[in-house]
PDB file of all heavy atoms in Angstrom:
ATOM      1  N   GLY A   2       1.098  22.350  42.923  1.00 85.00           N
ATOM      2  CA  GLY A   2       0.128  21.677  42.058  1.00 85.00           C
ATOM      3  C   GLY A   2      -0.271  22.443  40.818  1.00 85.00           C
ATOM      4  O   GLY A   2      -0.945  21.882  39.939  1.00 85.00           O
ATOM      5  N   GLU A   3       0.164  23.690  40.669  1.00 84.00           N
ATOM      6  CA  GLU A   3      -0.264  24.491  39.524  1.00 84.00           C
ATOM      7  C   GLU A   3       0.342  23.973  38.221  1.00 84.00           C
ATOM      8  O   GLU A   3      -0.352  23.835  37.211  1.00 84.00           O
ATOM      9  CB  GLU A   3       0.131  25.952  39.741  1.00 84.00           C
ATOM     10  CG  GLU A   3      -0.415  26.917  38.705  1.00 84.00           C
ATOM     11  CD  GLU A   3      -1.919  27.073  38.766  1.00 84.00           C
ATOM     12  OE1 GLU A   3      -2.485  26.922  39.862  1.00 84.00           O
ATOM     13  OE2 GLU A   3      -2.527  27.338  37.716  1.00 84.00           O
ATOM     14  N   LEU A   4       1.643  23.682  38.227  1.00 88.00           N
ATOM     15  CA  LEU A   4       2.278  23.163  37.016  1.00 88.00           C
ATOM     16  C   LEU A   4       1.690  21.812  36.632  1.00 88.00           C
ATOM     17  O   LEU A   4       1.468  21.529  35.445  1.00 88.00           O
ATOM     18  CB  LEU A   4       3.792  23.042  37.223  1.00 88.00           C
ATOM     19  CG  LEU A   4       4.591  24.343  37.304  1.00 88.00           C
ATOM     20  CD1 LEU A   4       6.070  24.047  37.500  1.00 88.00           C
ATOM     21  CD2 LEU A   4       4.392  25.198  36.067  1.00 88.00           C
ATOM     22  N   ASN A   5       1.429  20.963  37.632  1.00 90.00           N
ATOM     23  CA  ASN A   5       0.844  19.650  37.348  1.00 90.00           C
ATOM     24  C   ASN A   5      -0.544  19.794  36.726  1.00 90.00           C
ATOM     25  O   ASN A   5      -0.884  19.080  35.771  1.00 90.00           O
ATOM     26  CB  ASN A   5       0.744  18.837  38.643  1.00 90.00           C
ATOM     27  CG  ASN A   5       2.102  18.600  39.275  1.00 90.00           C
ATOM     28  OD1 ASN A   5       2.825  17.717  38.884  1.00 90.00           O
ATOM     29  ND2 ASN A   5       2.435  19.415  40.256  1.00 90.00           N
ATOM     30  N   MET A   6      -1.339  20.716  37.267  1.00 90.00           N
ATOM     31  CA  MET A   6      -2.691  20.906  36.752  1.00 90.00           C
ATOM     32  C   MET A   6      -2.664  21.408  35.315  1.00 90.00           C
ATOM     33  O   MET A   6      -3.445  20.953  34.466  1.00 90.00           O
ATOM     34  CB  MET A   6      -3.451  21.890  37.640  1.00 90.00           C
ATOM     35  CG  MET A   6      -4.903  22.097  37.233  1.00 90.00           C
ATOM     36  SD  MET A   6      -5.752  23.276  38.291  1.00 90.00           S
ATOM     37  CE  MET A   6      -4.886  24.801  37.855  1.00 90.00           C
ATOM     38  N   ARG A   7      -1.763  22.332  35.013  1.00 90.00           N
ATOM     39  CA  ARG A   7      -1.683  22.860  33.656  1.00 90.00           C
ATOM     40  C   ARG A   7      -1.161  21.802  32.685  1.00 90.00           C
ATOM     41  O   ARG A   7      -1.581  21.739  31.526  1.00 90.00           O
ATOM     42  CB  ARG A   7      -0.809  24.110  33.633  1.00 90.00           C
ATOM     43  CG  ARG A   7      -1.441  25.276  34.388  1.00 90.00           C
ATOM     44  CD  ARG A   7      -0.614  26.548  34.343  1.00 90.00           C
ATOM     45  NE  ARG A   7      -1.284  27.600  35.101  1.00 90.00           N
ATOM     46  CZ  ARG A   7      -2.220  28.404  34.616  1.00 90.00           C
ATOM     47  NH1 ARG A   7      -2.600  28.271  33.356  1.00 90.00           N
ATOM     48  NH2 ARG A   7      -2.771  29.337  35.365  1.00 90.00           N
ATOM     49  N   ALA A   8      -0.239  20.964  33.141  1.00 91.00           N
ATOM     50  CA  ALA A   8       0.243  19.880  32.285  1.00 91.00           C
ATOM     51  C   ALA A   8      -0.891  18.901  31.978  1.00 91.00           C
ATOM     52  O   ALA A   8      -1.033  18.444  30.836  1.00 91.00           O
ATOM     53  CB  ALA A   8       1.405  19.157  32.962  1.00 91.00           C
ATOM     54  N   MET A   9      -1.710  18.586  32.988  1.00 90.00           N
ATOM     55  CA  MET A   9      -2.852  17.694  32.755  1.00 90.00           C
ATOM     56  C   MET A   9      -3.851  18.305  31.776  1.00 90.00           C
ATOM     57  O   MET A   9      -4.398  17.618  30.912  1.00 90.00           O
ATOM     58  CB  MET A   9      -3.547  17.398  34.090  1.00 90.00           C
ATOM     59  CG  MET A   9      -2.730  16.565  35.044  1.00 90.00           C
ATOM     60  SD  MET A   9      -3.574  16.336  36.627  1.00 90.00           S
ATOM     61  CE  MET A   9      -2.303  15.479  37.563  1.00 90.00           C
ATOM     62  N   SER A  10      -4.080  19.613  31.908  1.00 88.00           N
ATOM     63  CA  SER A  10      -4.991  20.288  31.000  1.00 88.00           C
ATOM     64  C   SER A  10      -4.476  20.234  29.560  1.00 88.00           C
ATOM     65  O   SER A  10      -5.239  20.026  28.611  1.00 88.00           O
ATOM     66  CB  SER A  10      -5.186  21.744  31.445  1.00 88.00           C
ATOM     67  OG  SER A  10      -5.935  22.478  30.501  1.00 88.00           O
ATOM     68  N   LEU A  11      -3.168  20.383  29.401  1.00 88.00           N
ATOM     69  CA  LEU A  11      -2.578  20.339  28.063  1.00 88.00           C
ATOM     70  C   LEU A  11      -2.638  18.932  27.470  1.00 88.00           C
ATOM     71  O   LEU A  11      -2.734  18.778  26.246  1.00 88.00           O
ATOM     72  CB  LEU A  11      -1.131  20.834  28.124  1.00 88.00           C
ATOM     73  CG  LEU A  11      -0.975  22.346  28.356  1.00 88.00           C
ATOM     74  CD1 LEU A  11       0.480  22.704  28.616  1.00 88.00           C
ATOM     75  CD2 LEU A  11      -1.501  23.134  27.169  1.00 88.00           C
ATOM     76  N   VAL A  12      -2.582  17.907  28.324  1.00 89.00           N
ATOM     77  CA  VAL A  12      -2.719  16.537  27.833  1.00 89.00           C
ATOM     78  C   VAL A  12      -4.092  16.345  27.202  1.00 89.00           C
ATOM     79  O   VAL A  12      -4.221  15.809  26.089  1.00 89.00           O
ATOM     80  CB  VAL A  12      -2.517  15.530  28.989  1.00 89.00           C
ATOM     81  CG1 VAL A  12      -2.938  14.128  28.544  1.00 89.00           C
ATOM     82  CG2 VAL A  12      -1.063  15.529  29.423  1.00 89.00           C
ATOM     83  N   TYR A  13      -5.127  16.792  27.888  1.00 84.00           N
ATOM     84  CA  TYR A  13      -6.495  16.648  27.376  1.00 84.00           C
ATOM     85  C   TYR A  13      -6.654  17.396  26.049  1.00 84.00           C
ATOM     86  O   TYR A  13      -7.198  16.863  25.077  1.00 84.00           O
ATOM     87  CB  TYR A  13      -7.481  17.192  28.410  1.00 84.00           C
ATOM     88  CG  TYR A  13      -8.907  17.272  27.925  1.00 84.00           C
ATOM     89  CD1 TYR A  13      -9.688  16.123  27.773  1.00 84.00           C
ATOM     90  CD2 TYR A  13      -9.481  18.502  27.605  1.00 84.00           C
ATOM     91  CE1 TYR A  13     -10.994  16.204  27.320  1.00 84.00           C
ATOM     92  CE2 TYR A  13     -10.796  18.584  27.143  1.00 84.00           C
ATOM     93  CZ  TYR A  13     -11.538  17.431  27.008  1.00 84.00           C
ATOM     94  OH  TYR A  13     -12.827  17.518  26.551  1.00 84.00           O
ATOM     95  N   THR A  14      -6.150  18.621  25.991  1.00 83.00           N
ATOM     96  CA  THR A  14      -6.273  19.404  24.763  1.00 83.00           C
ATOM     97  C   THR A  14      -5.449  18.797  23.635  1.00 83.00           C
ATOM     98  O   THR A  14      -5.851  18.829  22.468  1.00 83.00           O
ATOM     99  CB  THR A  14      -5.825  20.852  25.017  1.00 83.00           C
ATOM    100  OG1 THR A  14      -6.469  21.358  26.184  1.00 83.00           O
ATOM    101  CG2 THR A  14      -6.173  21.743  23.842  1.00 83.00           C
ATOM    102  N   THR A  15      -4.291  18.234  23.984  1.00 84.00           N
ATOM    103  CA  THR A  15      -3.442  17.606  22.968  1.00 84.00           C
ATOM    104  C   THR A  15      -4.139  16.423  22.327  1.00 84.00           C
ATOM    105  O   THR A  15      -4.066  16.223  21.104  1.00 84.00           O
ATOM    106  CB  THR A  15      -2.109  17.157  23.589  1.00 84.00           C
ATOM    107  OG1 THR A  15      -1.448  18.284  24.177  1.00 84.00           O
ATOM    108  CG2 THR A  15      -1.202  16.553  22.527  1.00 84.00           C
ATOM    109  N   LEU A  16      -4.822  15.619  23.144  1.00 82.00           N
ATOM    110  CA  LEU A  16      -5.539  14.461  22.606  1.00 82.00           C
ATOM    111  C   LEU A  16      -6.610  14.888  21.602  1.00 82.00           C
ATOM    112  O   LEU A  16      -6.856  14.198  20.603  1.00 82.00           O
ATOM    113  CB  LEU A  16      -6.176  13.657  23.748  1.00 82.00           C
ATOM    114  CG  LEU A  16      -5.208  12.918  24.667  1.00 82.00           C
ATOM    115  CD1 LEU A  16      -5.961  12.281  25.825  1.00 82.00           C
ATOM    116  CD2 LEU A  16      -4.429  11.857  23.894  1.00 82.00           C
ATOM    117  N   LEU A  17      -7.244  16.042  21.868  1.00 78.00           N
ATOM    118  CA  LEU A  17      -8.267  16.533  20.951  1.00 78.00           C
ATOM    119  C   LEU A  17      -7.666  17.168  19.698  1.00 78.00           C
ATOM    120  O   LEU A  17      -8.245  17.086  18.610  1.00 78.00           O
ATOM    121  CB  LEU A  17      -9.152  17.563  21.665  1.00 78.00           C
ATOM    122  CG  LEU A  17     -10.056  17.057  22.790  1.00 78.00           C
ATOM    123  CD1 LEU A  17     -10.804  18.215  23.424  1.00 78.00           C
ATOM    124  CD2 LEU A  17     -11.036  16.016  22.275  1.00 78.00           C
ATOM    125  N   ALA A  18      -6.507  17.796  19.858  1.00 77.00           N
ATOM    126  CA  ALA A  18      -5.977  18.636  18.774  1.00 77.00           C
ATOM    127  C   ALA A  18      -4.864  17.985  17.976  1.00 77.00           C
ATOM    128  O   ALA A  18      -4.458  18.533  16.946  1.00 77.00           O
ATOM    129  CB  ALA A  18      -5.475  19.965  19.349  1.00 77.00           C
ATOM    130  N   ILE A  19      -4.346  16.843  18.425  1.00 77.00           N
ATOM    131  CA  ILE A  19      -3.158  16.305  17.754  1.00 77.00           C
ATOM    132  C   ILE A  19      -3.450  15.920  16.299  1.00 77.00           C
ATOM    133  O   ILE A  19      -2.639  16.185  15.403  1.00 77.00           O
ATOM    134  CB  ILE A  19      -2.589  15.098  18.544  1.00 77.00           C
ATOM    135  CG1 ILE A  19      -1.264  14.667  17.927  1.00 77.00           C
ATOM    136  CG2 ILE A  19      -3.586  13.938  18.595  1.00 77.00           C
ATOM    137  CD1 ILE A  19      -0.509  13.678  18.780  1.00 77.00           C
ATOM    138  N   VAL A  20      -4.615  15.319  16.040  1.00 72.00           N
ATOM    139  CA  VAL A  20      -4.935  14.939  14.657  1.00 72.00           C
ATOM    140  C   VAL A  20      -5.168  16.177  13.787  1.00 72.00           C
ATOM    141  O   VAL A  20      -4.594  16.272  12.681  1.00 72.00           O
ATOM    142  CB  VAL A  20      -6.145  13.989  14.627  1.00 72.00           C
ATOM    143  CG1 VAL A  20      -6.619  13.772  13.195  1.00 72.00           C
ATOM    144  CG2 VAL A  20      -5.770  12.653  15.265  1.00 72.00           C
ATOM    145  N   PRO A  21      -5.986  17.163  14.204  1.00 72.00           N
ATOM    146  CA  PRO A  21      -6.111  18.378  13.386  1.00 72.00           C
ATOM    147  C   PRO A  21      -4.793  19.103  13.179  1.00 72.00           C
ATOM    148  O   PRO A  21      -4.509  19.607  12.081  1.00 72.00           O
ATOM    149  CB  PRO A  21      -7.097  19.239  14.201  1.00 72.00           C
ATOM    150  CG  PRO A  21      -7.882  18.267  15.007  1.00 72.00           C
ATOM    151  CD  PRO A  21      -6.937  17.171  15.342  1.00 72.00           C
ATOM    152  N   LEU A  22      -3.966  19.160  14.239  1.00 72.00           N
ATOM    153  CA  LEU A  22      -2.683  19.843  14.113  1.00 72.00           C
ATOM    154  C   LEU A  22      -1.800  19.154  13.087  1.00 72.00           C
ATOM    155  O   LEU A  22      -1.203  19.802  12.216  1.00 72.00           O
ATOM    156  CB  LEU A  22      -1.989  19.884  15.482  1.00 72.00           C
ATOM    157  CG  LEU A  22      -0.609  20.548  15.533  1.00 72.00           C
ATOM    158  CD1 LEU A  22      -0.721  22.018  15.157  1.00 72.00           C
ATOM    159  CD2 LEU A  22       0.000  20.392  16.911  1.00 72.00           C
ATOM    160  N   LEU A  23      -1.713  17.847  13.173  1.00 72.00           N
ATOM    161  CA  LEU A  23      -0.900  17.103  12.217  1.00 72.00           C
ATOM    162  C   LEU A  23      -1.514  17.137  10.817  1.00 72.00           C
ATOM    163  O   LEU A  23      -0.789  17.070   9.819  1.00 72.00           O
ATOM    164  CB  LEU A  23      -0.727  15.662  12.679  1.00 72.00           C
ATOM    165  CG  LEU A  23       0.123  15.469  13.940  1.00 72.00           C
ATOM    166  CD1 LEU A  23       0.147  14.009  14.354  1.00 72.00           C
ATOM    167  CD2 LEU A  23       1.538  15.983  13.721  1.00 72.00           C
ATOM    168  N   ALA A  24      -2.849  17.246  10.752  1.00 72.00           N
ATOM    169  CA  ALA A  24      -3.500  17.341   9.438  1.00 72.00           C
ATOM    170  C   ALA A  24      -3.096  18.630   8.733  1.00 72.00           C
ATOM    171  O   ALA A  24      -2.829  18.639   7.520  1.00 72.00           O
ATOM    172  CB  ALA A  24      -5.015  17.275   9.606  1.00 72.00           C
ATOM    173  N   VAL A  25      -3.048  19.722   9.492  1.00 69.00           N
ATOM    174  CA  VAL A  25      -2.601  20.988   8.913  1.00 69.00           C
ATOM    175  C   VAL A  25      -1.144  20.887   8.474  1.00 69.00           C
ATOM    176  O   VAL A  25      -0.765  21.307   7.367  1.00 69.00           O
ATOM    177  CB  VAL A  25      -2.796  22.131   9.929  1.00 69.00           C
ATOM    178  CG1 VAL A  25      -2.213  23.439   9.383  1.00 69.00           C
ATOM    179  CG2 VAL A  25      -4.275  22.322  10.248  1.00 69.00           C
ATOM    180  N   SER A  26      -0.305  20.313   9.346  1.00 69.00           N
ATOM    181  CA  SER A  26       1.103  20.145   8.998  1.00 69.00           C
ATOM    182  C   SER A  26       1.261  19.222   7.793  1.00 69.00           C
ATOM    183  O   SER A  26       2.095  19.466   6.915  1.00 69.00           O
ATOM    184  CB  SER A  26       1.874  19.571  10.196  1.00 69.00           C
ATOM    185  OG  SER A  26       1.768  20.418  11.317  1.00 69.00           O
ATOM    186  N   PHE A  27       0.451  18.168   7.752  1.00 70.00           N
ATOM    187  CA  PHE A  27       0.481  17.228   6.636  1.00 70.00           C
ATOM    188  C   PHE A  27       0.151  17.938   5.323  1.00 70.00           C
ATOM    189  O   PHE A  27       0.793  17.702   4.292  1.00 70.00           O
ATOM    190  CB  PHE A  27      -0.516  16.095   6.898  1.00 70.00           C
ATOM    191  CG  PHE A  27      -0.490  15.008   5.866  1.00 70.00           C
ATOM    192  CD1 PHE A  27       0.432  13.972   5.947  1.00 70.00           C
ATOM    193  CD2 PHE A  27      -1.392  15.009   4.809  1.00 70.00           C
ATOM    194  CE1 PHE A  27       0.447  12.967   5.003  1.00 70.00           C
ATOM    195  CE2 PHE A  27      -1.379  14.008   3.863  1.00 70.00           C
ATOM    196  CZ  PHE A  27      -0.455  12.981   3.953  1.00 70.00           C
ATOM    197  N   SER A  28      -0.843  18.832   5.364  1.00 69.00           N
ATOM    198  CA  SER A  28      -1.227  19.569   4.155  1.00 69.00           C
ATOM    199  C   SER A  28      -0.096  20.474   3.680  1.00 69.00           C
ATOM    200  O   SER A  28       0.162  20.586   2.476  1.00 69.00           O
ATOM    201  CB  SER A  28      -2.486  20.396   4.445  1.00 69.00           C
ATOM    202  OG  SER A  28      -3.555  19.562   4.837  1.00 69.00           O
ATOM    203  N   VAL A  29       0.575  21.120   4.641  1.00 66.00           N
ATOM    204  CA  VAL A  29       1.690  22.009   4.278  1.00 66.00           C
ATOM    205  C   VAL A  29       2.826  21.190   3.659  1.00 66.00           C
ATOM    206  O   VAL A  29       3.377  21.548   2.602  1.00 66.00           O
ATOM    207  CB  VAL A  29       2.180  22.775   5.519  1.00 66.00           C
ATOM    208  CG1 VAL A  29       3.427  23.589   5.183  1.00 66.00           C
ATOM    209  CG2 VAL A  29       1.079  23.683   6.047  1.00 66.00           C
ATOM    210  N   LEU A  30       3.179  20.090   4.319  1.00 67.00           N
ATOM    211  CA  LEU A  30       4.282  19.269   3.818  1.00 67.00           C
ATOM    212  C   LEU A  30       3.945  18.635   2.471  1.00 67.00           C
ATOM    213  O   LEU A  30       4.813  18.460   1.610  1.00 67.00           O
ATOM    214  CB  LEU A  30       4.619  18.175   4.837  1.00 67.00           C
ATOM    215  CG  LEU A  30       5.160  18.664   6.183  1.00 67.00           C
ATOM    216  CD1 LEU A  30       5.364  17.496   7.128  1.00 67.00           C
ATOM    217  CD2 LEU A  30       6.463  19.422   5.996  1.00 67.00           C
ATOM    218  N   LYS A  31       2.671  18.309   2.284  1.00 65.00           N
ATOM    219  CA  LYS A  31       2.252  17.704   1.021  1.00 65.00           C
ATOM    220  C   LYS A  31       2.428  18.676  -0.137  1.00 65.00           C
ATOM    221  O   LYS A  31       2.771  18.283  -1.258  1.00 65.00           O
ATOM    222  CB  LYS A  31       0.798  17.259   1.121  1.00 65.00           C
ATOM    223  CG  LYS A  31       0.340  16.368  -0.026  1.00 65.00           C
ATOM    224  CD  LYS A  31      -1.050  15.798   0.227  1.00 65.00           C
ATOM    225  CE  LYS A  31      -1.461  14.834  -0.888  1.00 65.00           C
ATOM    226  NZ  LYS A  31      -2.807  14.263  -0.634  1.00 65.00           N
ATOM    227  N   GLY A  32       2.196  19.959   0.154  1.00 64.00           N
ATOM    228  CA  GLY A  32       2.380  20.970  -0.884  1.00 64.00           C
ATOM    229  C   GLY A  32       3.820  21.083  -1.345  1.00 64.00           C
ATOM    230  O   GLY A  32       4.089  21.485  -2.484  1.00 64.00           O
ATOM    231  N   PHE A  33       4.779  20.697  -0.473  1.00 63.00           N
ATOM    232  CA  PHE A  33       6.192  20.768  -0.829  1.00 63.00           C
ATOM    233  C   PHE A  33       6.768  19.380  -1.125  1.00 63.00           C
ATOM    234  O   PHE A  33       7.968  19.240  -1.340  1.00 63.00           O
ATOM    235  CB  PHE A  33       6.986  21.410   0.319  1.00 63.00           C
ATOM    236  CG  PHE A  33       6.734  22.875   0.479  1.00 63.00           C
ATOM    237  CD1 PHE A  33       5.691  23.338   1.269  1.00 63.00           C
ATOM    238  CD2 PHE A  33       7.539  23.813  -0.166  1.00 63.00           C
ATOM    239  CE1 PHE A  33       5.453  24.689   1.421  1.00 63.00           C
ATOM    240  CE2 PHE A  33       7.307  25.165  -0.023  1.00 63.00           C
ATOM    241  CZ  PHE A  33       6.259  25.616   0.767  1.00 63.00           C
ATOM    242  N   GLY A  34       5.899  18.375  -1.108  1.00 63.00           N
ATOM    243  CA  GLY A  34       6.358  17.028  -1.431  1.00 63.00           C
ATOM    244  C   GLY A  34       7.071  16.311  -0.310  1.00 63.00           C
ATOM    245  O   GLY A  34       7.790  15.336  -0.556  1.00 63.00           O
ATOM    246  N   TYR A  35       6.897  16.767   0.943  1.00 61.00           N
ATOM    247  CA  TYR A  35       7.592  16.153   2.076  1.00 61.00           C
ATOM    248  C   TYR A  35       6.628  15.477   3.051  1.00 61.00           C
ATOM    249  O   TYR A  35       6.985  15.188   4.187  1.00 61.00           O
ATOM    250  CB  TYR A  35       8.391  17.208   2.846  1.00 61.00           C
ATOM    251  CG  TYR A  35       9.599  17.739   2.100  1.00 61.00           C
ATOM    252  CD1 TYR A  35       9.607  19.040   1.600  1.00 61.00           C
ATOM    253  CD2 TYR A  35      10.717  16.945   1.910  1.00 61.00           C
ATOM    254  CE1 TYR A  35      10.708  19.530   0.914  1.00 61.00           C
ATOM    255  CE2 TYR A  35      11.823  17.426   1.226  1.00 61.00           C
ATOM    256  CZ  TYR A  35      11.817  18.721   0.731  1.00 61.00           C
ATOM    257  OH  TYR A  35      12.900  19.194   0.060  1.00 61.00           O
ATOM    258  N   HIS A  36       5.412  15.202   2.610  1.00 59.00           N
ATOM    259  CA  HIS A  36       4.425  14.668   3.544  1.00 59.00           C
ATOM    260  C   HIS A  36       4.788  13.272   4.054  1.00 59.00           C
ATOM    261  O   HIS A  36       4.334  12.867   5.120  1.00 59.00           O
ATOM    262  CB  HIS A  36       3.041  14.628   2.878  1.00 59.00           C
ATOM    263  CG  HIS A  36       3.003  13.887   1.590  1.00 59.00           C
ATOM    264  ND1 HIS A  36       3.533  14.410   0.429  1.00 59.00           N
ATOM    265  CD2 HIS A  36       2.504  12.658   1.274  1.00 59.00           C
ATOM    266  CE1 HIS A  36       3.360  13.533  -0.563  1.00 59.00           C
ATOM    267  NE2 HIS A  36       2.735  12.463  -0.067  1.00 59.00           N
ATOM    268  N   ASN A  37       5.603  12.546   3.301  1.00 70.00           N
ATOM    269  CA  ASN A  37       6.006  11.218   3.742  1.00 70.00           C
ATOM    270  C   ASN A  37       6.985  11.253   4.911  1.00 70.00           C
ATOM    271  O   ASN A  37       7.297  10.210   5.502  1.00 70.00           O
ATOM    272  CB  ASN A  37       6.638  10.443   2.580  1.00 70.00           C
ATOM    273  CG  ASN A  37       5.619  10.124   1.489  1.00 70.00           C
ATOM    274  OD1 ASN A  37       4.441   9.906   1.774  1.00 70.00           O
ATOM    275  ND2 ASN A  37       6.058  10.118   0.243  1.00 70.00           N
TER     276      ASN A  37
END
């Protein structure tokens, strides 16, 4: 059950962090003209 528990924990954190993470990536790509 340890791997399952850690995967579940990462799901919760991913839901919280996916928009900020992509926002940072979006900013980087926008600086190089690849944000689309």
Side-chain angles (χ1 to χ4, degrees):
E3 188 68 29
L4 289 180
N5 299 279
M6 183 181 67
R7 293 182 181 274
M9 292 177 186
S10 173
L11 288 171
V12 169
Y13 172 74
T14 311
T15 302
L16 291 174
L17 292 177
I19 187 169
V20 171
L22 179 63
L23 292 176
V25 175
S26 301
F27 185 84
S28 300
V29 174
L30 295 176
K31 192 172 184 179
F33 289 88
Y35 290 109
H36 55 286
N37 293 327

